[in-house]
Amino acid sequence: MLRFETPHGTVVPEETKGLKFGHLTTNLAFKLARKLGRKPPELASEIASAIEKDSRVERVQVAGGFVNIFLKKEFLREYLLSLHGKLPEPGWEEERPPIAFDNREGKHNLEFVSANPTGPLNVVNARAAAIGDSLVRIGRFLGYRSDAEYYVNDEGTQIEMLGWAILWRLGYIPEEELPEDAYRGDYVKDIAEAIRDRIPRFEKPDSSIAYTIGKMGSDYILQTQMETLKRFRVRYDRITRESFVRESKYPEEALKNLSDKGLLYFESKDGKRKPFDEFTGLGEPLKKLLDRDFYLKHFEGFALYLETTRFGDDKDRVIIRSNGLPTYFFWDIAYHFYKVERGYDYIVDFLGPDHHGYIGRLRAALSALGFDVSHFHMEIVQQTNLLREGKRVRMSKRKGQLYTMDELLDEVGVDAARFFFLMRSPSAHLDFDMTLASRIGKENPVYYVQYVHARVQSIKEHAAGQGISWSIEDLNLDMTDTDYEREMVRKLLYLEMYLNKAYEKFEPHHLVFYLMELADTFHSFYQNIRVVDPQEPGRTAARIALLEVLRKVIGTGLNLIGVKAPDRM
RNA sequence: GCCCCCGUAGCUCAACUGGAUAGAGCAUCGGAUUUCUAAUCCGAGGGUUGGGGGUUCGAGUCCCUCCGGGGGCGCCA
């Protein structure tokens, strides 16, 4: 990042709104004015005169409290060459990016999608996949150790419900006997068929048979989900199963941590309380609480509560139900404990819109465990509506009429799907216009950006055909000084700023907007300036060199959001 | 009832920890190609940032209030 030292501290300048404001700007004077009790213009001129002495700077301009910085051509050339050297050749969009910037401090965990293994992935899952995967790419590229994680809820009632649904589809039970919460969607037929031959023998279907079959079904579903995600160019570094967490030492550790702090108590539905000491008095290890028979024997009718209200929650939460079964919430606490223990200094969860109310209690539980919640970030990936010909596509879950992620990819393709998901901030409701996304042409922003890459490649080919040779060293800003080109140079300075912004805010759309702006600049340039001119080989070479930097920036940006940068369109 | 999010151009959305003239895309209208790809470009119209009040050098952004929309409030996950 570009920085400047001044008597008022280090300035990390920002982008400008146009070349008339210079290449970079800072409003530091405004910010300091109140604190120091001085006038912004005075401070600005002090900051300006310090920056002016910097060898990279051509001149500065003070406007009110703004200090606008104009950089020297020699420095700009050096910067662009170094940028070019750092960026990989496009074409790695299926893989993890190389580290291009500094090797930064920080090991981060980003968990996203984590859909229940009871059905196909849907459109919100796809959106979360695009967001999470792109951020992991950007994080790695910036030099952080960013890991993508998938959590599988392969235990619990839902698994049994899946099992019942499969039993029904295979004809073992009539529809009337199907539990109310069982999955009735048509997709269960395919799953049933896929595992039919491996179903164990049994006398009469019961809960435990349903559970076993549900497990088989969910394994199969997980596998198909992973295939879909792979098709979407999403990679995971780790898949964690809830069954693994349950068997690990973390549930017990969490109980120990919370009981040591006196945050647990028993309460019955009619409000009778028992202190946690009633358990402690039994002299049994904490693990016993997770043994259902043991729990029922001693605490039947009572649930085990965690005092999350002491940490800002609206009410205390149940972690073991009075039927002896721990809640999802409890296993999730153990899971987060496990993530922390793995040594991440930043943990991010992307949750679906229906988990909105869950954030508060999870944060409260994490504080209860003694973790610094500023190291956790929970982001809601908002709802997505599909539009076709301007009309809502119904995605009702009932009767299995759901529109799946695979269908979306069939209809609009991976590039358009990823790009469209990333055009909006994750927290905004998204209207996904499939008619627009599947159109080929200027109205479709994904082609608009990809076309830049293809056009530059085409120019290079044309130049070669004219016998013009060039190299990146031919970059010469004296020969590329039309307004178009100077504007291009200015915007090329901002790549790293936008990557940082996108990553720090967990909002990849900032990168997408940057790419669209760069593409804009290029297309205007292309329309008005002829690049290849055999009469002026020097200028031609200089222009191609500049476009080559642009091409790599666009190509890298696209690959970081998992979109291809084609050589030809 | 309580809590959270949102309200910006006809539509869908941006706007860096409060900063310069609130920007894009789509849609609408008018132009441009004997050319390195027209999958492009140039131009036009379109806004009291839901209303009102406050904080300050400065508010779409922060505070209060009202209106309107969505979501959450389970011993489900």
Side-chain angles (χ1 to χ4, degrees), chain A residues 47-68:
Chain A
I47 291 167
S49 62
I51 292 177
E52 198 168 21
K53 295 193 184 93
D54 192 291
S55 62
R56 297 167 294 181
V57 174
E58 173 76 34
R59 66 192 170 90
V60 294
Q61 182 187 74
V62 177
F66 291 101
V67 177
N68 299 327

Side-chain angles (χ1 to χ4, degrees), chain A residues 376-432:
Chain A
F376 295 85
H377 184 94
M378 288 150 208
E379 178 92 359
I380 294 289
V381 176
Q382 268 299 354
Q383 207 176 332
T384 299
N385 296 315
L386 292 180
L387 302 176
R388 198 187 279 124
E389 305 294 344
K391 287 189 205 125
R392 276 283 273 284
V393 176
R394 282 280 157 206
M395 293 181 287
S396 143
K397 273 189 181 170
R398 269 176 298 162
K399 302 285 175 198
Q401 305 167 347
L402 40 114
Y403 189 85
T404 66
M405 180 167 165
D406 274 308
E407 288 172 284
L408 177 72
L409 299 185
D410 291 341
E411 189 163 341
V412 307
V414 173
D415 285 342
R418 286 195 70 131
F419 199 92
F420 273 63
F421 281 128
L422 298 172
M423 284 199 314
R424 299 280 175 262
S425 88
S427 59
H429 287 253
L430 169 69
D431 277 12
F432 191 117

Side-chain angles (χ1 to χ4, degrees), chain A residues 164-364:
Chain A
W164 283 116
I166 294 170
L167 286 166
W168 165 54
R169 289 296 188 180
L170 291 177
Y172 289 102
I173 58 165
E175 188 168 4
E176 305 85 72
E177 286 178 25
L178 206 54
E180 201 180 330
D181 294 333
Y183 299 88
R184 288 174 163 75
D186 286 342
Y187 65 85
V188 179
K189 285 182 196 163
D190 299 335
I191 297 152
E193 281 314 313
I195 64 169
R196 179 192 281 275
D197 298 341
R198 287 180 284 131
I199 300 264
R201 293 183 185 282
F202 56 88
E203 296 289 314
K204 188 172 174 292
D206 59 14
S207 273
S208 128
I209 296 294
Y211 205 87
T212 305
I213 291 170
K215 283 288 258 187
M216 295 171 66
S218 72
D219 277 346
Y220 175 76
I221 293 173
L222 177 62
Q223 196 184 315
T224 60
Q225 288 176 339
M226 286 299 142
E227 280 163 18
T228 303
L229 287 164
K230 191 175 177 198
R231 177 183 177 202
F232 202 42
R233 303 178 193 136
V234 173
R235 286 173 61 92
Y236 280 97
D237 299 291
R238 182 186 287 253
I239 295 174
T240 301
R241 288 171 178 267
E242 185 179 333
S243 52
F244 169 83
V245 172
R246 288 191 183 201
E247 294 304 314
S248 74
K249 63 177 182 175
Y250 296 100
E252 193 181 359
E253 300 257 321
L255 283 174
K256 176 165 175 16
N257 181 312
L258 298 170
S259 63
D260 283 353
K261 291 177 180 145
L263 295 170
L264 302 177
Y265 64 89
F266 297 96
E267 190 175 299
S268 67
K269 283 185 180 162
D270 52 14
K272 280 186 218 133
R273 277 208 188 195
K274 284 185 183 178
F276 192 71
D277 288 345
E278 294 215 4
F279 168 77
T280 319
L282 297 172
E284 297 283 351
L286 281 162
K287 205 185 211 167
K288 275 285 192 183
L289 280 170
L290 303 174
D291 174 338
R292 189 176 186 188
D293 294 334
F294 172 87
Y295 191 94
L296 289 177
K297 186 174 162 198
H298 297 277
F299 303 105
E300 176 143 33
F302 285 80
L304 183 62
Y305 277 80
L306 170 60
E307 271 189 76
T308 49
T309 45
R310 299 240 303 247
F311 302 89
D313 198 4
D314 309 342
K315 53 182 166 187
D316 292 342
R317 304 292 173 172
V318 171
I319 60 173
I320 301 179
R321 290 174 265 171
S322 53
N323 67 4
L325 294 174
T327 57
Y328 169 84
F329 180 51
F330 174 71
W331 299 119
D332 213 25
I333 292 170
Y335 173 45
H336 281 80
F337 201 145
Y338 170 55
K339 283 205 251 190
V340 172
E341 292 279 302
R342 274 157 47 197
Y344 291 106
D345 31 42
Y346 211 78
I347 292 174
V348 187
D349 292 340
F350 290 91
L351 304 170
D354 50 330
H355 281 65
H356 190 114
Y358 188 71
I359 294 179
R361 86 181 75 155
L362 187 54
R363 292 188 80 86

